[in-house]
Amino acid sequence: MAKNLVIVESPAKAKTIESYLGKEFLVTSSYGHIRDLEKKNMGIDIKNHFKPIYKIPEDKKKVITELKKLVKKAETIWLATDEDREGEAISWHLKEALDLPEEKIRRIVFDEITKKAILESIKNPRSIDYNLVDAQQARRVLDRLVGFEISPILWRKIRTRLSAGRVQSVAVRLIVEREREIDAFVPESRFKVAGLFSFTDDSGKKQTLKAELSRFLKDEKEVEEFLSKCSSSEFIIEDVETKPFKRTPSAPFTTSTLQQEASRKLRFSVSRTMLIAQKLYEAGYITYMRTDSVNLSDFALDAAEQAIKQDFGNRYHHKRTYQTKSVNAQEAHEAIRPTDFGRETISGSKDEKALYELIWKRAIASQMSDAEIERTTVKIKGSKLDDLFTAKGEVILFDGFLKVYLEDTDEENSENGDEGILPPVKKGIGLDVQSITATERFTRPPARYTEASLVKKLEELGIGRPSTYAPTISTIQKRGYVHKEEREGKEREYRVITLAQNGKLKKEIKTEITGADKGKLFPTDIAMVVTDFLMKYFPQIMDYQFTAKVEEELDEIALGKLRYEEMLKEFYFPFHEKVIHTTETSERASGERILGEDPETGLIVSVRIARFGPVAQKTDPNNPEAKPVYAQLRKDQKIETITLEEALELFKLPRVVGEYEGKEVIAGVGRFGPYIRHDNKFVSIKKQFDPHTITIDEAIQVIDAKRVSDSEKFIKVFDEDPTFQILNGRWGPYLKAGKKNIKLPKDRDPSSLTFEECVELANNKEETGKSKRTSRKKK
């Protein structure tokens, strides 16, 4: 048995590390956290200085048993969990759960899983950093206090199964506020003017030059007046200005910037990026992926220099150091980078290769020379115009880091066109007008958040840390507060007025698609209602500055400058009083809006959050006892913006679509979504159809597809008793005996089962059920 036992969190990580150590080392895994807070009483002893009460989950008891066996046989225990607060806490939990004496423990950390880094960490062990452990526990306890105390209020006052969280609720607030900005936005029309000019250069070659007016024109009348002046103007190049400038590479990736750029360039979700990065780290390809540092080690700087000079030449190298914003020295290690700059590609999945390539390019580009660019601005003057037309172009004199990498941006509302290469021009050249076109453009609302831009905003506000971005964004989607979707947009007309070469004006009406969104975060109605409720009763929890201040205090705890129980005490007791007051005094919230009166019935039409989602309802103001009539809102409708007319349309369901096989086909919306009903059978409508507009041909298509699907499920039906059926299910073949579904044993062939064998299986299932019920009663 090896004298040294190394414990890490992940089996993949264990396998990689074991390959670097000798026979005296055995590397094993704890499979993540091995303890968690109890659910009972929040898992926190508030009276005893907010002491956390931990419990080993059932699925980890076997892991603990195995680890204890290995610990008994080893002389030294090396705790090699990740180098952040979460990893430090896992090491501490292992110490506590395995009853490890301090003198037997060696804590080692490394920011890359390479042989050099592992052997170096073995030479420089340390003890567990209890300040980092306290910081992790403080975050966990604080989040548990907020979630466990506010969530029950939401259940009572709004709807069951809702949740609140210190960071998640603030993230939802950002998305809700952005959506309301968009709803309140009124687009304004204006005209963008572009001219196409021609001239003959010194070699006698005909050249064209596209330029734009330096301002927008406000309306069609101003456009006509302007184009009229253009038709009688002579145009010359008034000025040509050429300026050199340099473009500098971005810093190597931090967790946040990696998530943002992977979203823009690779269309990865934040959680997907972190999952793939974790695999790359555990395989030894990249350094640790949870960091807010942009620093590179001296070793990395030297390795990057060697790779750049070898691949691109000496001129392309420029050594750079970047400054880290984080004040927490414990976590300000290295930026995310390749462990080997000479390895441009790796083996692995398509996603792993793509993310590694992105990390390699960003890191190598950060140590490359500036791009040298020449920017030319051409100003065109019309003899009867006060405004200038401007053409801009760029020429790359030396590509520098652009040879490898160019960062993307989230900017969507830029009105600037692409800058290209201009033809050779000189001051004073006369120009002929080919055409001048004024195109109607509309101001745009703020862009909805993507996962990447939300991470960027959270980071700007100081909310969360590298390890929290991905779980926060995943949580708000899983809890139903936010959903990511694509919207096709709507068609909109716009005007185009063109001054042709013959001096005549041509007016056209064209169409464009506006409001199309891809991969954006949309808040649900319940998110709006919950956010308003929390803003009203718990403004401190929802305050951006307060949430950022908590992160700063957690950093201070990690540095040993603040005791975590002091921080929790200052927060909790005023907060708990607010919880009690809100529970006793707050009113139920449903986001209800009264839209008006149904002109046909006189009933009051309103919308609100109901048990299964947003609904429109009709109520009789003269008879409070009368049962309301309900209709579910459509997916693209919101409680805050739906109109009376739109709500009345919802009550037209269920509707008769037509007739099929001599029976009515009815479309409607039920508890489980849109459906078609035919011959007393219900069929769910897929996303491509709308119950309000589905045609009889489309409905028949849905019905027939369901029949084919159902026929494929049947393996066997028994004449002795049709309620006994053997079917194919999602998890494999099963026996349907009346209302009970019984999983078939793996050693039974479903197609050859007899009726008697099926009865036996059903009876055995019944006996097992009775035995379990009896056992529970005895307990």
Side-chain angles (χ1 to χ4, degrees):
M1 181 65 194
K3 295 180 180 179
N4 297 278
L5 178 66
V6 182
I7 306 177
V8 297
E9 315 97 310
S10 147
K13 188 176 173 182
K15 188 177 179 182
T16 309
I17 292 174
E18 193 166 54
S19 67
Y20 297 138
L21 297 172
K23 293 180 181 179
E24 292 187 352
F25 288 84
L26 173 66
V27 186
T28 189
S29 169
S30 69
Y31 294 88
H33 272 285
I34 45 88
R35 297 199 304 180
D36 196 8
L37 292 173
E38 281 190 348
K39 291 286 192 290
K40 186 179 178 182
N41 297 322
M42 293 191 289
I44 303 163
D45 187 351
I46 293 170
K47 294 179 181 178
N48 187 16
H49 306 292
F50 298 92
K51 182 181 178 182
I53 303 168
Y54 292 107
K55 180 182 179 182
I56 297 173
E58 286 296 323
D59 63 335
K60 288 300 174 74
K61 286 183 178 178
K62 186 178 179 181
V63 175
I64 292 295
T65 302
E66 293 299 320
L67 287 174
K68 282 184 175 180
K69 289 178 183 177
L70 296 173
V71 164
K72 284 181 182 178
K73 298 174 183 178
E75 293 179 7
T76 305
I77 312 301
W78 301 80
L79 301 176
T81 52
D82 287 342
E83 60 179 336
D84 57 8
R85 296 173 192 172
E86 208 69 30
E88 205 71 24
I90 292 175
S91 282
W92 175 73
H93 281 298
L94 286 166
K95 172 185 176 295
E96 295 292 306
L98 301 176
D99 297 320
L100 301 176
E102 286 282 356
E103 61 272 13
K104 200 173 182 178
I105 296 172
R106 303 290 185 274
R107 172 77 172 115
I108 55 172
V109 294
F110 34 82
D111 64 357
E112 61 182 66
I113 304 179
T114 59
K115 187 171 185 177
K116 179 177 180 293
I118 300 301
L119 295 179
E120 191 67 29
S121 69
I122 294 288
K123 293 177 185 176
N124 298 284
R126 62 169 172 81
S127 57
I128 292 173
D129 188 329
Y130 290 98
N131 290 329
L132 288 182
V133 174
D134 283 347
Q136 188 275 343
Q137 288 192 107
R139 179 188 292 280
R140 188 82 178 88
V141 169
L142 186 61
D143 290 346
R144 175 62 69 91
L145 291 169
V146 172
F148 271 50
E149 296 226 347
I150 295 182
S151 295
I153 299 176
L154 300 181
W155 303 342
R156 295 188 195 102
K157 304 297 182 178
I158 303 176
R159 198 176 76 187
T160 57
R161 296 185 179 179
L162 293 175
S163 68
R166 182 183 59 84
V167 177
Q168 79 169 52
S169 296
V170 174
V172 172
R173 178 190 169 187
L174 281 167
I175 296 166
V176 166
E177 288 181 343
R178 177 59 56 86
E179 191 70 18
R180 285 176 170 158
E181 284 181 61
I182 294 168
D183 289 340
F185 184 82
V186 179
E188 294 180 1
S189 167
R190 53 188 186 172
F191 285 83
K192 182 178 183 179
V193 181
L196 187 63
F197 304 92
S198 64
F199 65 96
T200 304
D201 64 19
D202 291 343
S203 65
K205 185 179 178 181
K206 192 85 168 179
Q207 300 282 3
T208 58
L209 181 63
K210 186 177 180 180
E212 292 182 356
L213 194 66
S214 53
R215 67 182 179 91
F216 288 95
L217 303 183
K218 63 182 180 180
D219 54 32
E220 191 170 330
K221 181 183 177 183
E222 188 178 8
V223 168
E224 290 179 357
E225 290 174 355
F226 178 80
L227 293 180
S228 176
K229 290 180 181 178
C230 288
S231 65
S232 57
S233 288
E234 294 181 355
F235 290 88
I236 64 165
I237 295 177
E238 185 179 72
D239 189 32
V240 179
E241 186 180 71
T242 300
K243 283 185 178 180
F245 79 100
K246 293 183 179 182
R247 188 173 291 168
T248 304
S250 302
F253 282 130
T254 62
T255 303
S256 165
T257 54
L258 175 63
Q259 291 168 349
Q260 292 170 48
E261 195 72 342
S263 174
R264 299 182 194 115
K265 276 185 157 59
L266 305 177
R267 298 290 181 262
F268 286 177
S269 67
V270 168
S271 57
R272 184 178 172 193
T273 298
M274 295 311 293
L275 184 66
I276 298 166
Q278 180 85 36
K279 290 179 180 178
L280 293 175
Y281 167 66
E282 290 174 350
Y285 290 133
I286 64 169
T287 54
Y288 192 55
M289 66 288 159
R290 291 188 183 92
T291 176
D292 48 13
S293 170
V294 290
N295 297 327
L296 292 177
S297 64
D298 290 339
F299 166 78
L301 293 173
D302 292 342
E305 178 179 357
Q306 184 179 346
I308 292 166
K309 288 181 177 179
Q310 181 175 319
D311 291 348
F312 307 108
N314 291 357
R315 188 183 175 191
Y316 280 90
H317 176 255
H318 181 95
K319 185 176 181 179
R320 301 174 191 274
T321 55
Y322 297 87
Q323 194 143 14
T324 301
K325 295 178 182 178
S326 173
V327 296
N328 189 343
Q330 289 291 340
E331 292 185 9
H333 296 289
E334 273 200 88
I336 304 170
R337 63 164 176 84
T339 55
D340 180 1
F341 278 96
R343 182 165 48 204
E344 293 184 31
T345 58
I346 60 164
S347 58
S349 69
K350 180 181 176 183
D351 287 351
E352 288 166 3
K353 288 178 180 178
L355 191 65
Y356 177 82
E357 183 182 357
L358 192 66
I359 292 167
W360 183 88
K361 285 182 175 180
R362 176 79 164 228
I364 206 85
S366 75
Q367 296 303 307
M368 293 179 72
S369 303
D370 293 340
E372 296 174 12
I373 298 169
E374 186 177 77
R375 175 172 288 167
T376 301
T377 302
V378 179
K379 294 179 180 178
I380 300 169
K381 174 70 176 172
S383 58
K384 295 185 178 179
L385 302 180
D386 296 325
D387 301 294
L388 297 172
F389 282 88
T390 304
K392 292 182 179 180
E394 288 185 356
V395 176
I396 297 175
L397 303 177
F398 173 64
D399 53 5
F401 77 94
L402 293 178
K403 196 173 192 71
V404 173
Y405 181 82
L406 178 61
E407 183 180 15
D408 282 356
T409 69
D410 288 314
E411 297 302 317
E412 296 183 358
N413 295 346
S414 174
E415 296 283 359
N416 295 326
D418 294 332
E419 295 183 354
I421 297 176
L422 299 175
V425 292
K426 290 181 181 179
K427 181 178 178 180
I429 291 178
L431 302 174
D432 297 321
V433 175
Q434 298 295 309
S435 65
I436 296 177
T437 303
T439 304
E440 187 176 23
R441 287 287 172 252
F442 297 86
T443 53
R444 299 181 188 177
R448 287 184 175 88
Y449 286 108
T450 60
E451 288 192 0
S453 60
L454 181 60
V455 166
K456 185 178 181 181
K457 186 66 177 179
L458 290 170
E459 187 180 40
E460 285 174 1
L461 293 171
I463 297 168
R465 283 296 181 263
S467 61
T468 65
Y469 299 133
T472 295
I473 291 173
S474 295
T475 297
I476 62 178
Q477 293 180 67
K478 288 176 183 174
R479 299 284 164 83
Y481 288 123
V482 173
H483 51 90
K484 186 165 64 172
E485 65 176 64
E486 296 180 12
R487 294 198 177 174
E488 294 179 354
K490 297 177 181 177
E491 194 172 77
R492 175 176 66 189
E493 292 184 344
Y494 67 98
R495 294 167 286 175
V496 179
I497 305 171
T498 304
L499 173 66
Q501 198 169 5
N502 59 12
K504 292 184 178 180
L505 292 185
K506 178 185 176 184
K507 296 184 179 181
E508 298 174 275
I509 301 293
K510 297 186 177 182
T511 59
E512 63 183 354
I513 300 298
T514 182
D517 271 323
K518 187 174 183 180
K520 298 297 178 64
L521 299 176
F522 291 81
T524 59
D525 284 305
I526 197 68
M528 303 278 195
V529 174
V530 169
T531 296
D532 288 343
F533 184 87
L534 294 177
M535 287 293 292
K536 181 177 181 180
Y537 293 104
F538 296 96
Q540 182 188 30
I541 296 296
M542 300 296 282
D543 183 70
Y544 298 136
Q545 291 182 340
F546 168 76
T547 311
K549 181 174 177 286
V550 167
E551 297 295 346
E552 291 172 4
E553 290 179 341
L554 290 171
D555 288 345
E556 288 182 10
I557 293 170
L559 293 168
K561 296 180 180 179
L562 178 66
R563 293 179 56 132
Y564 94 93
E565 57 266 32
E566 291 175 6
M567 173 218 184
L568 293 171
K569 182 180 177 182
E570 182 182 345
F571 164 78
Y572 177 72
F573 293 109
F575 165 71
H576 184 63
E577 287 180 13
K578 187 71 174 172
V579 167
I580 295 170
H581 178 74
T582 303
T583 304
E584 295 173 350
T585 63
S586 62
E587 298 178 352
R588 284 192 64 84
S590 65
E592 185 174 14
R593 277 180 67 221
I594 295 175
L595 304 179
E597 189 178 287
D598 181 354
E600 293 183 8
T601 64
L603 298 178
I604 299 299
V605 181
S606 61
V607 285
R608 68 180 180 88
I609 293 289
R611 184 181 176 188
F612 298 111
V615 297
Q617 65 180 30
K618 290 182 181 180
T619 52
D620 189 344
N622 301 316
N623 183 8
E625 301 299 320
K627 189 177 179 181
V629 180
Y630 296 102
Q632 282 194 333
L633 268 62
R634 298 166 76 167
K635 188 178 178 182
D636 59 347
Q637 292 175 326
K638 292 183 284 193
I639 284 177
E640 293 191 356
T641 57
I642 190 172
T643 64
L644 175 62
E645 292 72 23
E646 290 168 338
L648 289 172
E649 282 292 316
L650 299 174
F651 291 99
K652 293 180 180 179
L653 293 180
R655 70 182 182 91
V656 177
V657 180
E659 196 173 279
Y660 181 46
E661 298 175 343
K663 294 177 182 177
E664 280 187 336
V665 177
I666 295 170
V669 177
R671 177 180 171 185
F672 302 107
Y675 65 82
I676 288 292
R677 179 160 57 87
H678 175 254
D679 193 19
N680 291 324
K681 293 178 181 176
F682 291 83
V683 184
S684 292
I685 298 177
K686 293 183 178 179
K687 291 180 180 179
Q688 66 262 39
F689 298 123
D690 185 330
H692 292 270
T693 58
I694 192 169
T695 64
I696 185 62
D697 290 338
E698 291 168 339
I700 291 171
Q701 181 184 333
V702 171
I703 294 165
D704 289 346
K706 174 66 173 171
R707 287 175 176 174
V708 171
S709 173
D710 286 347
S711 68
E712 291 173 351
K713 286 182 181 177
F714 282 93
I715 297 175
K716 200 169 189 178
V717 180
F718 297 95
D719 294 333
E720 294 94 327
D721 187 347
T723 63
F724 278 75
Q725 302 169 359
I726 300 176
L727 307 171
N728 253 327
R730 184 179 178 185
W731 310 113
Y734 67 95
L735 169 66
K736 183 176 177 64
K739 293 183 178 180
K740 293 180 180 176
N741 296 333
I742 303 164
K743 188 176 180 181
L744 295 179
K746 290 181 179 179
D747 59 348
R748 299 286 188 99
D749 179 4
S751 61
S752 63
L753 278 173
T754 65
F755 176 69
E756 289 74 18
E757 288 174 323
C758 288
V759 172
E760 184 185 348
L761 285 170
N763 289 338
N764 289 342
K765 179 73 173 177
E766 180 65 27
E767 289 300 319
T768 304
K770 284 180 181 178
S771 176
K772 287 182 178 178
R773 288 192 291 273
T774 303
S775 176
R776 282 198 294 268
K777 283 179 181 178
K778 286 181 180 178
K779 287 182 180 179

